[in-house]
Amino acid sequence: MLIAEILVFAPVDRSLFYGIPEALRLILFPGSLVNVILGKTKKIGLVIAVREVDPQTLHYTLKPIISSIYDIPITDGILIQLYFWIAKYYICDLFSVIDRAIPSVIRRNISLKLTAYLQLSMDLDESIDGKKLPKQWEAFEFLKKNPFILKSEFLKQFSRNILDALLRKNIVYETFRREERIAYTHPDLINPRKRSIQLTPEQLGIVASVGESLGQKIFRVHLLYGVTGSGKTEVYIELIRRVIGEGGSVLYLLPELALTAQIVEKIRSRLEGLSPWVWHSGLSDGERRDTWLAALNQPSMIVVGARSAVFLPLNNLRLVIVDEEHESAYKQGETPRYNGRDVAIYRAKLHNATCLLGSATPSLESIFNTKFKNYKLESLNHRIDHRQLPRVHVVDMRYEPKGINAILSRLLLRKMEERLEKKEQIILFLNRRGYATTVLCRSCDFIASCPHCSLPLTFHRTLNQLICHFCSHQEPPQMKCPRCGSPEILYSGIGIQRVEQVVQSCFKGAHIARIDSDIMGKKHEFIHILNDFRSGKIDILVGTQMIAKGLDFPNVTLVGLINADGSLNQQDFRANERTFQLLVQVAGRAGRGERLGEVVLQTHIPGNETIFLAKDTNFEEFIAKELELRERFRYPPYRHIINCTISGNSALRAELFAKRSFVGGLSELFKEDCSAIEIRGPMISPIEKIQDRYRYAVLIFTPNVSKICEKINDFRKKITVPADIALSIDVDALDFM
Ligand code: ADP
Ligand code: ZN
Ligand code: ZN
């Protein structure tokens, strides 16, 4: 008898066995999706193994599989191995992994929406009397100009009655199309000049080195460290050309949805006839399904996508590119808390594929791996055409006059004027959303804070609301201090909306746009703004970290860093690393074209070493210093950290659980094996309370996660967590707040 081992999409943390009915014998494989009964309800399951057993050996009767959802498997054996690895390494349920890895549109196998279009008839034997029926005539003229148009578009301009009349007269007819993949076919999307380029000897050297691994079909990780504007992207494209030419597939990961459009266009313009598929959270269900099915069916394809693209079932995967590999956006913020970069590396390993990590500011982890593990370091040390890295001016904000100059220093204002005169473009960067970051009372020092979180509220001018950036709590700003009644409310701390306002008041004639996550909600808004910026319709772009990375605008010659100190104050051992990366990346947006770029970096601590090294893009020295520091304290990359957060409505109960059950239990578990882990805590988390829940942190330091993760996972499954307490485990955590 044939049975199937199945992972059911339900919070059950083990596989279950079901019988395979005769009719399904030939179509079920590992990776097939099926309908099964669990308890009394119908559930979807993923087949992970099929095997023959002797019915005599079964001590119970197996329920049969009800039906198969597709007639082909929708994932493959390697991906199934990957799911198991993620659940093990990141210490979480398998269910949470497959729930993320296999999108619900694939599980449901929904039929796709058909979209209605209007098509003008070819042989018109009837015409319309424009005098008698002016509206119909107008519609007819409109259709002549738009002979194939979305029905919904037509109905925006003309009534249903008009349409019915035209349909009756057979002037137009309705036709239906399956929703096509529309991502990035928007007409006014960026279209860079088509031109072929000659790679530099440095670039060719890297293509050859990575090409060697590709040729040998061995798993190998190459880390491409190339200063901003050194031509990393062109190296990727050359390798993509090669792999696709040989019939393989390429997975190209990016940390930011916004960067996909730029890369897709660039690949299209360089590799004619090749159209990359895209994958990110902004896709519609139809696009998602099309891409997934294409991945299953096509022997060779390229996908450009965000973190979750790592789960696409590509055939012949030969090359995995992880661009901006240092980005924390690769880390998933909820269970399963995997790092897309690291999962990509492991996936490449399972396929014997080559993995190429790239960055102008590689993470310390990856640099460490080039020194102590097998990663091969490849460097691009110069910008293309020996363009210089931008010149950086450091402005000491302690000596600036108050008022406007506390936001835009005198030097920055002067440089901005110069650039606008020359019709060059400017980027201003500040990593703070909102308008004012603290709202406080002058008389009693009361600070408006979130009633649910231990955090100050940020004032958003466009919405006229105080907002908590952690739980989205909103309240209208008060005219009087709620504590002492004083009307002297001070809005201090600069947010990006304030910068935008000040720039508007200083440069009346200039075109200014703002990009931050508050405008990202609007679909396509972001791409539109970037296009307008590229085409020169916008002179000054102000934004948060969303504009810090990857973007390539040749006409930008000035970048202003409004407050370079922001991320240095974080209570995190990575504060220096993040600051260095951010400053170098933002500065790297300047001077990418023919003209030299300049950067004005505003700071209150000009003597700070990180700022000093970032100013000169002195990566080597920064790395040496920082690695030394990390080694001294045995912080990552010298050890791994598993950050466990315990939270509850009662601070006392949460702390008690953290201390007794969690830390107590863990210490007991590793009592004979003390060198495997070091436990610190519980301590109060840097953000004590979020959404009315008190939070405690327990840090587990370990030289080797793989050696202990299974043990901790078993412990996690056995330990009884009271209903009012939540435990979250974050392996290789990047966020310690
Ligand atoms: P990076 O990804 O390292 O920031 P890009 O690949 O975006 O750099 O290259 C920066 C600019 O230089 C781009 O406009 C790119 O088209 C151009 N470029 C890259 N390599 C070459 C080359 N070999 N010859 C001419 N232009 C190049
Ligand atoms: Zn007060
Ligand atoms: Zn809050």
Side-chain angles (χ1 to χ4, degrees):
M1 151 186 206
L2 209 54
I3 66 165
E5 185 174 357
I6 288 175
L7 292 176
V8 178
F9 287 87
V12 186
D13 199 37
R14 60 190 172 84
S15 54
L16 304 169
F17 291 93
Y18 286 86
I20 299 182
E22 202 49 41
L24 298 178
R25 266 190 96 88
L26 295 175
I27 62 164
L28 286 191
F29 300 96
S32 295
L33 280 183
V34 292
N35 288 310
V36 293
I37 298 285
L38 178 70
K40 288 207 167 70
T41 46
K42 193 168 132 185
K43 295 272 178 204
I44 294 170
L46 173 71
V47 176
I48 56 170
V50 172
R51 68 179 80 111
E52 192 75 49
V53 291
D54 180 355
Q56 309 280 292
T57 60
L58 284 177
H59 303 296
Y60 50 95
T61 45
L62 286 180
K63 284 187 196 149
I65 290 172
I66 305 173
S67 58
S68 172
I69 297 178
Y70 295 82
D71 48 12
I72 50 165
I74 54 92
T75 174
D76 58 43
I78 288 185
L79 282 167
I80 292 173
Q81 277 187 55
L82 192 70
Y83 309 152
F84 275 87
W85 179 77
I86 292 173
K88 185 182 124 190
Y89 187 90
Y90 290 101
I91 311 186
C92 59
D93 286 343
L94 256 172
F95 162 67
S96 70
V97 180
I98 54 171
D99 196 43
R100 278 279 157 190
I102 301 171
S104 59
V105 59
I106 299 299
R107 275 181 258 161
R108 281 178 288 136
N109 189 12
I110 53 155
S111 55
L112 291 177
K113 268 209 314 270
L114 293 172
T115 314
Y117 287 82
L118 298 177
Q119 167 100 55
L120 191 66
S121 295
M122 281 306 185
D123 42 353
L124 288 169
D125 42 33
E126 200 155 349
S127 72
I128 290 168
D129 184 342
K131 290 225 174 68
K132 271 200 212 141
L133 302 162
K135 265 284 162 200
Q136 284 189 29
W137 186 78
E138 201 185 308
F140 180 46
E141 290 300 310
F142 173 79
L143 283 165
K144 279 196 207 156
K145 287 197 203 96
N146 303 283
F148 186 75
I149 186 177
L150 270 173
K151 184 175 167 187
S152 55
E153 282 297 313
F154 179 88
L155 287 175
K156 272 186 202 154
Q157 310 206 19
F158 302 97
S159 71
R160 207 159 254 291
N161 285 342
I162 299 279
L163 175 60
D164 286 343
L166 296 181
L167 285 169
R168 264 198 313 275
K169 292 179 181 168
N170 292 327
I171 287 174
V172 285
Y173 55 90
E174 247 180 303
T175 125
F176 295 90
R177 287 261 168 118
R178 201 159 82 74
E179 197 178 287
E180 290 287 336
R181 190 166 62 104
I182 50 155
Y184 306 128
T185 47
H186 208 272
D188 50 17
L189 277 180
I190 315 155
N191 200 358
R193 285 164 296 158
K194 287 196 179 167
R195 62 185 176 119
S196 58
I197 53 152
Q198 196 71 43
L199 292 187
T200 63
E202 240 188 344
Q203 287 172 316
L204 285 172
I206 295 170
V207 170
S209 168
V210 179
E212 205 174 305
S213 302
L214 281 172
Q216 294 170 354
K217 305 211 166 152
I218 50 164
F219 164 65
R220 177 126 208 222
V221 185
H222 296 252
L223 172 64
L224 172 50
Y225 160 57
V227 296
T228 53
S230 60
K232 294 183 289 297
T233 315
E234 302 292 347
V235 169
Y236 304 151
I237 291 177
E238 191 49 40
L239 289 162
I240 292 168
R241 182 204 307 278
R242 170 167 171 182
V243 173
I244 298 292
E246 291 172 1
S249 291
V250 181
L251 176 64
Y252 187 152
L253 297 184
L254 287 163
E256 189 78 69
L257 183 156
L259 293 172
T260 41
Q262 183 182 309
I263 296 293
V264 166
E265 286 306 315
K266 200 157 194 171
I267 296 175
R268 272 197 196 144
S269 71
R270 290 271 184 279
L271 308 178
E272 250 168 274
L274 186 75
S275 206
W277 293 76
V278 292
W279 185 268
H280 54 67
S281 57
L283 296 188
S284 69
D285 273 356
E287 291 165 337
R288 219 170 262 276
R289 200 183 115 115
D290 279 1
T291 308
W292 191 280
L293 295 182
L296 283 176
N297 292 323
Q298 296 188 6
S300 155
M301 75 190 256
I302 157 144
V303 183
V304 177
R307 153 180 92 219
S308 58
V310 78
F311 295 117
L312 279 170
L314 295 162
N315 290 307
N316 291 320
L317 182 60
R318 297 274 314 283
L319 176 63
V320 179
I321 298 169
V322 184
D323 199 8
E324 313 288 352
E325 66 87 25
H326 64 280
E327 270 297 329
S328 50
Y330 278 120
K331 185 90 164 139
Q332 164 101 1
E334 56 213 78
T335 315
R337 296 170 188 272
Y338 69 92
N339 187 318
R341 173 196 63 203
D342 298 335
V343 172
I345 294 171
Y346 197 77
R347 183 161 182 203
K349 181 177 169 161
L350 292 173
H351 287 268
N352 275 326
T354 303
C355 184
L356 178 57
L357 312 178
S359 173
T361 51
S363 62
L364 284 177
E365 280 78 3
S366 296
I367 289 287
F368 180 87
N369 287 338
T370 64
K371 290 183 195 289
F372 301 104
K373 282 199 189 148
N374 270 332
Y375 288 21
K376 184 152 191 283
L377 181 64
E378 319 278 359
S379 314
L380 287 172
N381 297 313
H382 305 285
R383 278 192 161 183
I384 290 300
D385 296 340
H386 289 264
R387 274 168 212 155
Q388 283 168 30
L389 283 172
R391 217 174 125 205
V392 181
H393 309 273
V394 174
V395 175
D396 188 341
M397 295 304 279
R398 291 171 304 182
Y399 298 109
E400 284 299 311
K402 291 223 163 23
I404 280 177
N405 293 122
I407 296 171
L408 304 178
S409 61
R410 289 162 299 177
L411 182 74
L412 182 54
L413 276 174
R414 202 174 68 231
K415 300 250 172 224
M416 287 175 73
E417 273 161 27
E418 282 171 26
R419 300 299 149 153
L420 288 176
E421 215 139 90
K422 288 196 218 156
K423 299 257 171 275
E424 294 170 8
Q425 289 172 302
I426 301 166
I427 290 180
L428 296 183
F429 173 84
L430 178 68
N431 209 6
R432 284 290 191 104
R433 286 164 58 203
Y435 183 84
T437 50
T438 6
V439 179
L440 84 170
C441 165
R442 277 202 181 169
S443 322
C444 75
D445 289 345
F446 169 85
I447 292 181
S449 16
C450 176
H452 311 289
C453 312
S454 54
L455 286 165
L457 294 167
T458 299
F459 175 59
H460 283 238
R461 188 162 151 265
T462 35
L463 302 169
N464 195 34
Q465 288 283 327
L466 300 178
I467 299 179
C468 170
H469 286 175
F470 270 78
C471 72
S472 309
H473 166 84
Q474 294 197 5
E475 59 186 55
Q478 307 269 350
M479 305 307 284
K480 284 191 189 139
C481 168
R483 188 156 71 195
C484 74
S486 156
E488 286 204 61
I489 306 282
L490 185 71
Y491 289 76
S492 76
I494 319 160
I496 194 72
Q497 295 180 353
R498 177 111 175 259
V499 175
E500 183 189 20
Q501 187 199 31
V502 169
V503 173
Q504 262 157 359
S505 70
C506 293
F507 301 97
K508 293 254 156 48
H511 297 279
I512 300 155
R514 168 169 60 90
I515 285 189
D516 57 26
S517 50
D518 293 313
I519 66 137
M520 263 307 265
K522 299 165 196 155
K523 216 181 170 186
H524 287 308
E525 178 85 2
F526 189 87
I527 297 179
H528 279 305
I529 294 180
L530 291 185
N531 278 335
D532 286 352
F533 193 51
R534 186 174 300 275
S535 65
K537 278 188 220 155
I538 294 169
D539 307 304
I540 306 173
L541 188 64
V542 301
T544 58
Q545 84 261 25
M546 300 184 75
I547 60 168
K549 51 206 158 199
L551 298 170
D552 185 23
F553 296 110
N555 197 36
V556 172
T557 55
L558 178 65
V559 167
L561 296 167
I562 302 301
N563 176 12
D565 316 339
S567 49
L568 276 172
N569 306 327
Q570 284 173 3
Q571 308 175 32
D572 190 324
F573 68 92
R574 286 194 181 89
N576 288 337
E577 185 183 1
R578 296 230 170 93
T579 304
F580 185 88
Q581 288 165 346
L582 198 62
L583 297 186
V584 170
Q585 293 283 351
V586 180
R589 301 310 115 215
R592 297 172 70 87
E594 267 101 56
R595 284 169 297 252
L596 179 67
E598 277 186 292
V599 177
V600 175
L601 186 159
Q602 303 187 153
T603 169
H604 288 88
I605 38 171
N608 177 277
E609 193 169 34
T610 301
I611 291 187
F612 184 75
L613 293 171
K615 167 181 179 294
D616 297 330
T617 319
N618 193 340
F619 188 63
E620 276 73 23
E621 195 169 332
F622 174 74
I623 286 291
K625 288 235 151 71
E626 192 65 20
L627 276 179
E628 193 188 299
L629 205 69
R630 302 276 183 93
E631 185 173 18
R632 187 151 19 110
F633 293 101
R634 312 280 310 139
Y635 270 122
Y638 291 88
R639 281 192 297 181
H640 296 258
I641 301 184
I642 304 172
N643 181 21
C644 310
T645 305
I646 289 114
S647 64
N649 296 98
S650 148
L652 196 68
R653 282 178 51 79
E655 189 182 3
L656 206 67
F657 173 80
K659 224 180 235 157
R660 294 241 180 97
S661 314
F662 192 68
V663 172
L666 272 179
S667 315
E668 182 64 28
L669 193 65
F670 285 93
K671 144 174 107 203
E672 257 122 58
D673 198 7
C674 331
S675 66
I677 64 170
E678 179 197 337
I679 304 172
R680 292 191 196 164
M683 53 218 151
I684 296 172
S685 296
I687 300 177
E688 278 179 59
K689 186 174 89 171
I690 294 182
Q691 287 189 294
D692 296 317
R693 297 179 71 86
Y694 294 87
R695 307 165 74 242
Y696 291 84
V698 174
L699 301 182
I700 303 173
F701 288 73
T702 177
N704 191 332
V705 175
S706 312
K707 281 209 177 118
I708 61 163
C709 54
E710 252 163 325
K711 217 162 158 181
I712 299 183
N713 216 348
D714 285 341
F715 171 69
R716 178 188 67 90
K717 286 178 199 164
K718 278 192 210 114
I719 188 174
T720 19
V721 183
D724 62 329
I725 306 261
L727 165 67
S728 99
I729 297 181
D730 187 358
V731 178
D732 292 337
L734 295 179
D735 177 3
F736 293 90
M737 300 308 276

